[in-house]
Amino acid sequence: MIREVCPKCGSKKYKKNGHIHNGKQNHRCKECGRQFVIDYEFKEIKDFEKELINKALLERNSLRGICRIFSVSLTWLLGYLAMLYGQTPDDLGFKIPFKYKNSQVQLLFVEADEMWSFVGNKETKQWIWLAMDVATRQIIAFHIGGRGKEDAQQLWQQIPDVYREQAYFFTDYWSAYACVLPKNRHSAVGKHTGLTNHIERFNLTMRQRVSRLVRSSLSFSKNIQNHIAAIKFFLFHYNLSKAALLV
């Protein structure tokens, strides 16, 4: 398509202003300052392409890598991500099995652990706290922040009521857990016991499939909001895959 006027103010007074990322001539309006390309192409992203992009987001692909694979702009992708992240439910899509809802017998077991991540640079540490239902392998709660008692409390507050009232918790020896978990329903255990194997294995899954969590990578998060949203998005789709097995 060919533009003859500024797309913002309609002025015909504009001048050349360098080139954009793909080499096309850029222009700048003399009236309002808007920058634009006269000869531009509008690409409609099909629904099936969006589905493929959604899958790519869950398989350790960097954002710029996705842009190259699907020939989309980074600006479009960031806007699309904002929409996806905004639609991700706070409950992570977690489904409580029917038999647990009215259970009077102690049948629930939860493994909890925290994993290191960073935002911006490795000095800005952000710990990812996770709690997993042992039977269904679903993530029932998560929190991202520091590694103190306050953050352990935040994780506890995110855990569904049925688990806070009935579940038995297994964690490592990190002292913050003992400050918030019920003493009569909590055991701090070592790796040799195998009682935290599932959550520790899930930590490896996270690092394998979420590019932001790779220890030596250029795909790290640049701000905390995107970091939290990306982790939440992955956990939601992980829970969907597990919930489907319960049907």
Side-chain angles (χ1 to χ4, degrees), residues 100 106-111 132-136 140 163 166-170:
Y100 292 164
Q106 176 61 58
L107 294 173
L108 305 179
F109 295 94
V110 174
E111 295 178 15
M132 171 185 280
D133 180 308
V134 175
T136 67
I140 63 175
Y163 289 88
Q166 300 181 33
Y168 198 93
F169 294 82
F170 296 102

PDB file of all heavy atoms in Angstrom, residues 100 106-111 132-136 140 163 166-170:
ATOM      1  N   TYR A 100     -11.277 -34.762  46.233  1.00  0.00           N
ATOM      2  CA  TYR A 100     -10.617 -33.991  47.271  1.00  0.00           C
ATOM      3  C   TYR A 100     -11.521 -32.925  47.882  1.00  0.00           C
ATOM      4  O   TYR A 100     -11.288 -32.461  48.979  1.00  0.00           O
ATOM      5  CB  TYR A 100      -9.378 -33.288  46.712  1.00  0.00           C
ATOM      6  CG  TYR A 100      -8.250 -34.228  46.314  1.00  0.00           C
ATOM      7  CD1 TYR A 100      -7.216 -33.774  45.495  1.00  0.00           C
ATOM      8  CD2 TYR A 100      -8.213 -35.534  46.760  1.00  0.00           C
ATOM      9  CE1 TYR A 100      -6.177 -34.622  45.127  1.00  0.00           C
ATOM     10  CE2 TYR A 100      -7.182 -36.391  46.389  1.00  0.00           C
ATOM     11  CZ  TYR A 100      -6.165 -35.918  45.577  1.00  0.00           C
ATOM     12  OH  TYR A 100      -5.146 -36.740  45.215  1.00  0.00           O
ATOM     13  N   GLN A 106      -7.022 -37.422  55.344  1.00  0.00           N
ATOM     14  CA  GLN A 106      -5.797 -36.812  54.836  1.00  0.00           C
ATOM     15  C   GLN A 106      -5.280 -37.585  53.617  1.00  0.00           C
ATOM     16  O   GLN A 106      -4.727 -38.670  53.732  1.00  0.00           O
ATOM     17  CB  GLN A 106      -4.730 -36.798  55.945  1.00  0.00           C
ATOM     18  CG  GLN A 106      -3.392 -36.273  55.485  1.00  0.00           C
ATOM     19  CD  GLN A 106      -3.499 -34.849  55.018  1.00  0.00           C
ATOM     20  OE1 GLN A 106      -3.918 -33.990  55.765  1.00  0.00           O
ATOM     21  NE2 GLN A 106      -3.107 -34.563  53.799  1.00  0.00           N
ATOM     22  N   LEU A 107      -5.545 -37.056  52.429  1.00  0.00           N
ATOM     23  CA  LEU A 107      -5.134 -37.717  51.200  1.00  0.00           C
ATOM     24  C   LEU A 107      -4.232 -36.837  50.342  1.00  0.00           C
ATOM     25  O   LEU A 107      -3.736 -37.285  49.328  1.00  0.00           O
ATOM     26  CB  LEU A 107      -6.375 -38.108  50.366  1.00  0.00           C
ATOM     27  CG  LEU A 107      -7.304 -39.164  50.967  1.00  0.00           C
ATOM     28  CD1 LEU A 107      -8.546 -39.306  50.100  1.00  0.00           C
ATOM     29  CD2 LEU A 107      -6.591 -40.492  51.091  1.00  0.00           C
ATOM     30  N   LEU A 108      -4.054 -35.586  50.735  1.00  0.00           N
ATOM     31  CA  LEU A 108      -3.344 -34.636  49.898  1.00  0.00           C
ATOM     32  C   LEU A 108      -1.891 -34.499  50.333  1.00  0.00           C
ATOM     33  O   LEU A 108      -1.592 -34.332  51.517  1.00  0.00           O
ATOM     34  CB  LEU A 108      -4.022 -33.261  49.966  1.00  0.00           C
ATOM     35  CG  LEU A 108      -5.510 -33.224  49.624  1.00  0.00           C
ATOM     36  CD1 LEU A 108      -6.036 -31.812  49.751  1.00  0.00           C
ATOM     37  CD2 LEU A 108      -5.732 -33.746  48.225  1.00  0.00           C
ATOM     38  N   PHE A 109      -0.999 -34.534  49.339  1.00  0.00           N
ATOM     39  CA  PHE A 109       0.415 -34.332  49.595  1.00  0.00           C
ATOM     40  C   PHE A 109       0.939 -33.286  48.631  1.00  0.00           C
ATOM     41  O   PHE A 109       0.627 -33.304  47.438  1.00  0.00           O
ATOM     42  CB  PHE A 109       1.195 -35.641  49.436  1.00  0.00           C
ATOM     43  CG  PHE A 109       0.828 -36.680  50.453  1.00  0.00           C
ATOM     44  CD1 PHE A 109      -0.134 -37.648  50.167  1.00  0.00           C
ATOM     45  CD2 PHE A 109       1.427 -36.683  51.701  1.00  0.00           C
ATOM     46  CE1 PHE A 109      -0.490 -38.596  51.101  1.00  0.00           C
ATOM     47  CE2 PHE A 109       1.081 -37.640  52.650  1.00  0.00           C
ATOM     48  CZ  PHE A 109       0.116 -38.588  52.350  1.00  0.00           C
ATOM     49  N   VAL A 110       1.723 -32.375  49.150  1.00  0.00           N
ATOM     50  CA  VAL A 110       2.253 -31.260  48.363  1.00  0.00           C
ATOM     51  C   VAL A 110       3.765 -31.201  48.522  1.00  0.00           C
ATOM     52  O   VAL A 110       4.282 -31.334  49.630  1.00  0.00           O
ATOM     53  CB  VAL A 110       1.628 -29.916  48.805  1.00  0.00           C
ATOM     54  CG1 VAL A 110       2.299 -28.745  48.086  1.00  0.00           C
ATOM     55  CG2 VAL A 110       0.134 -29.909  48.542  1.00  0.00           C
ATOM     56  N   GLU A 111       4.447 -31.019  47.401  1.00  0.00           N
ATOM     57  CA  GLU A 111       5.890 -30.762  47.422  1.00  0.00           C
ATOM     58  C   GLU A 111       6.112 -29.301  47.059  1.00  0.00           C
ATOM     59  O   GLU A 111       5.485 -28.791  46.126  1.00  0.00           O
ATOM     60  CB  GLU A 111       6.621 -31.658  46.417  1.00  0.00           C
ATOM     61  CG  GLU A 111       6.530 -33.134  46.751  1.00  0.00           C
ATOM     62  CD  GLU A 111       7.225 -34.000  45.700  1.00  0.00           C
ATOM     63  OE1 GLU A 111       8.003 -33.434  44.896  1.00  0.00           O
ATOM     64  OE2 GLU A 111       6.978 -35.223  45.686  1.00  0.00           O
ATOM     65  N   MET A 132       3.429 -28.093  44.357  1.00  0.00           N
ATOM     66  CA  MET A 132       2.873 -29.085  43.420  1.00  0.00           C
ATOM     67  C   MET A 132       2.070 -30.144  44.156  1.00  0.00           C
ATOM     68  O   MET A 132       2.501 -30.662  45.197  1.00  0.00           O
ATOM     69  CB  MET A 132       4.014 -29.757  42.656  1.00  0.00           C
ATOM     70  CG  MET A 132       3.585 -30.951  41.808  1.00  0.00           C
ATOM     71  SD  MET A 132       4.975 -31.815  41.044  1.00  0.00           S
ATOM     72  CE  MET A 132       5.298 -30.740  39.639  1.00  0.00           C
ATOM     73  N   ASP A 133       0.891 -30.465  43.616  1.00  0.00           N
ATOM     74  CA  ASP A 133       0.099 -31.591  44.096  1.00  0.00           C
ATOM     75  C   ASP A 133       0.801 -32.872  43.638  1.00  0.00           C
ATOM     76  O   ASP A 133       0.984 -33.086  42.433  1.00  0.00           O
ATOM     77  CB  ASP A 133      -1.310 -31.515  43.519  1.00  0.00           C
ATOM     78  CG  ASP A 133      -2.203 -32.666  43.977  1.00  0.00           C
ATOM     79  OD1 ASP A 133      -1.786 -33.837  43.845  1.00  0.00           O
ATOM     80  OD2 ASP A 133      -3.317 -32.402  44.443  1.00  0.00           O
ATOM     81  N   VAL A 134       1.182 -33.718  44.577  1.00  0.00           N
ATOM     82  CA  VAL A 134       1.952 -34.914  44.238  1.00  0.00           C
ATOM     83  C   VAL A 134       1.146 -35.871  43.362  1.00  0.00           C
ATOM     84  O   VAL A 134       1.676 -36.461  42.422  1.00  0.00           O
ATOM     85  CB  VAL A 134       2.416 -35.626  45.518  1.00  0.00           C
ATOM     86  CG1 VAL A 134       3.109 -36.946  45.175  1.00  0.00           C
ATOM     87  CG2 VAL A 134       3.359 -34.729  46.315  1.00  0.00           C
ATOM     88  N   ALA A 135      -0.146 -36.023  43.647  1.00  0.00           N
ATOM     89  CA  ALA A 135      -0.955 -37.002  42.929  1.00  0.00           C
ATOM     90  C   ALA A 135      -1.226 -36.594  41.485  1.00  0.00           C
ATOM     91  O   ALA A 135      -1.150 -37.421  40.576  1.00  0.00           O
ATOM     92  CB  ALA A 135      -2.281 -37.215  43.664  1.00  0.00           C
ATOM     93  N   THR A 136      -1.557 -35.326  41.249  1.00  0.00           N
ATOM     94  CA  THR A 136      -1.942 -34.884  39.911  1.00  0.00           C
ATOM     95  C   THR A 136      -0.799 -34.218  39.150  1.00  0.00           C
ATOM     96  O   THR A 136      -0.913 -33.977  37.950  1.00  0.00           O
ATOM     97  CB  THR A 136      -3.102 -33.880  39.988  1.00  0.00           C
ATOM     98  OG1 THR A 136      -2.651 -32.660  40.607  1.00  0.00           O
ATOM     99  CG2 THR A 136      -4.269 -34.455  40.790  1.00  0.00           C
ATOM    100  N   ILE A 140      -0.087 -25.951  42.067  1.00  0.00           N
ATOM    101  CA  ILE A 140      -1.251 -25.369  42.725  1.00  0.00           C
ATOM    102  C   ILE A 140      -1.018 -23.920  43.132  1.00  0.00           C
ATOM    103  O   ILE A 140      -1.980 -23.187  43.393  1.00  0.00           O
ATOM    104  CB  ILE A 140      -1.669 -26.199  43.958  1.00  0.00           C
ATOM    105  CG1 ILE A 140      -0.557 -26.213  45.019  1.00  0.00           C
ATOM    106  CG2 ILE A 140      -2.014 -27.625  43.533  1.00  0.00           C
ATOM    107  CD1 ILE A 140      -0.958 -26.915  46.303  1.00  0.00           C
ATOM    108  N   TYR A 163      -6.022 -27.412  50.367  1.00  0.00           N
ATOM    109  CA  TYR A 163      -4.656 -27.867  50.651  1.00  0.00           C
ATOM    110  C   TYR A 163      -4.138 -27.255  51.947  1.00  0.00           C
ATOM    111  O   TYR A 163      -3.447 -27.914  52.721  1.00  0.00           O
ATOM    112  CB  TYR A 163      -3.731 -27.521  49.492  1.00  0.00           C
ATOM    113  CG  TYR A 163      -3.990 -28.353  48.261  1.00  0.00           C
ATOM    114  CD1 TYR A 163      -4.928 -27.952  47.313  1.00  0.00           C
ATOM    115  CD2 TYR A 163      -3.326 -29.555  48.051  1.00  0.00           C
ATOM    116  CE1 TYR A 163      -5.196 -28.723  46.192  1.00  0.00           C
ATOM    117  CE2 TYR A 163      -3.574 -30.334  46.936  1.00  0.00           C
ATOM    118  CZ  TYR A 163      -4.522 -29.914  46.016  1.00  0.00           C
ATOM    119  OH  TYR A 163      -4.785 -30.691  44.912  1.00  0.00           O
ATOM    120  N   GLN A 166      -5.843 -29.361  54.684  1.00  0.00           N
ATOM    121  CA  GLN A 166      -5.705 -30.810  54.783  1.00  0.00           C
ATOM    122  C   GLN A 166      -4.352 -31.371  54.363  1.00  0.00           C
ATOM    123  O   GLN A 166      -3.957 -32.437  54.835  1.00  0.00           O
ATOM    124  CB  GLN A 166      -6.781 -31.487  53.912  1.00  0.00           C
ATOM    125  CG  GLN A 166      -8.211 -31.158  54.291  1.00  0.00           C
ATOM    126  CD  GLN A 166      -9.201 -31.878  53.403  1.00  0.00           C
ATOM    127  OE1 GLN A 166      -8.951 -32.988  52.949  1.00  0.00           O
ATOM    128  NE2 GLN A 166     -10.335 -31.252  53.135  1.00  0.00           N
ATOM    129  N   ALA A 167      -3.641 -30.715  53.485  1.00  0.00           N
ATOM    130  CA  ALA A 167      -2.467 -31.334  52.859  1.00  0.00           C
ATOM    131  C   ALA A 167      -1.272 -31.446  53.798  1.00  0.00           C
ATOM    132  O   ALA A 167      -1.113 -30.650  54.735  1.00  0.00           O
ATOM    133  CB  ALA A 167      -2.077 -30.543  51.613  1.00  0.00           C
ATOM    134  N   TYR A 168      -0.446 -32.425  53.499  1.00  0.00           N
ATOM    135  CA  TYR A 168       0.850 -32.597  54.171  1.00  0.00           C
ATOM    136  C   TYR A 168       1.916 -32.108  53.197  1.00  0.00           C
ATOM    137  O   TYR A 168       1.905 -32.448  52.019  1.00  0.00           O
ATOM    138  CB  TYR A 168       1.086 -34.058  54.540  1.00  0.00           C
ATOM    139  CG  TYR A 168       2.160 -34.222  55.574  1.00  0.00           C
ATOM    140  CD1 TYR A 168       1.844 -34.286  56.930  1.00  0.00           C
ATOM    141  CD2 TYR A 168       3.500 -34.296  55.206  1.00  0.00           C
ATOM    142  CE1 TYR A 168       2.839 -34.419  57.903  1.00  0.00           C
ATOM    143  CE2 TYR A 168       4.498 -34.435  56.157  1.00  0.00           C
ATOM    144  CZ  TYR A 168       4.165 -34.484  57.497  1.00  0.00           C
ATOM    145  OH  TYR A 168       5.144 -34.608  58.454  1.00  0.00           O
ATOM    146  N   PHE A 169       2.868 -31.309  53.700  1.00  0.00           N
ATOM    147  CA  PHE A 169       3.845 -30.639  52.850  1.00  0.00           C
ATOM    148  C   PHE A 169       5.247 -31.214  53.053  1.00  0.00           C
ATOM    149  O   PHE A 169       5.697 -31.424  54.189  1.00  0.00           O
ATOM    150  CB  PHE A 169       3.875 -29.138  53.154  1.00  0.00           C
ATOM    151  CG  PHE A 169       2.608 -28.418  52.788  1.00  0.00           C
ATOM    152  CD1 PHE A 169       1.514 -28.433  53.647  1.00  0.00           C
ATOM    153  CD2 PHE A 169       2.499 -27.741  51.578  1.00  0.00           C
ATOM    154  CE1 PHE A 169       0.333 -27.783  53.308  1.00  0.00           C
ATOM    155  CE2 PHE A 169       1.320 -27.089  51.235  1.00  0.00           C
ATOM    156  CZ  PHE A 169       0.242 -27.106  52.102  1.00  0.00           C
ATOM    157  N   PHE A 170       5.929 -31.419  51.928  1.00  0.00           N
ATOM    158  CA  PHE A 170       7.332 -31.821  51.944  1.00  0.00           C
ATOM    159  C   PHE A 170       8.159 -30.726  51.282  1.00  0.00           C
ATOM    160  O   PHE A 170       7.843 -30.269  50.177  1.00  0.00           O
ATOM    161  CB  PHE A 170       7.538 -33.133  51.181  1.00  0.00           C
ATOM    162  CG  PHE A 170       6.835 -34.310  51.790  1.00  0.00           C
ATOM    163  CD1 PHE A 170       5.649 -34.795  51.247  1.00  0.00           C
ATOM    164  CD2 PHE A 170       7.347 -34.928  52.918  1.00  0.00           C
ATOM    165  CE1 PHE A 170       4.997 -35.874  51.801  1.00  0.00           C
ATOM    166  CE2 PHE A 170       6.695 -36.015  53.493  1.00  0.00           C
ATOM    167  CZ  PHE A 170       5.515 -36.487  52.933  1.00  0.00           C
TER     168      PHE A 170
END
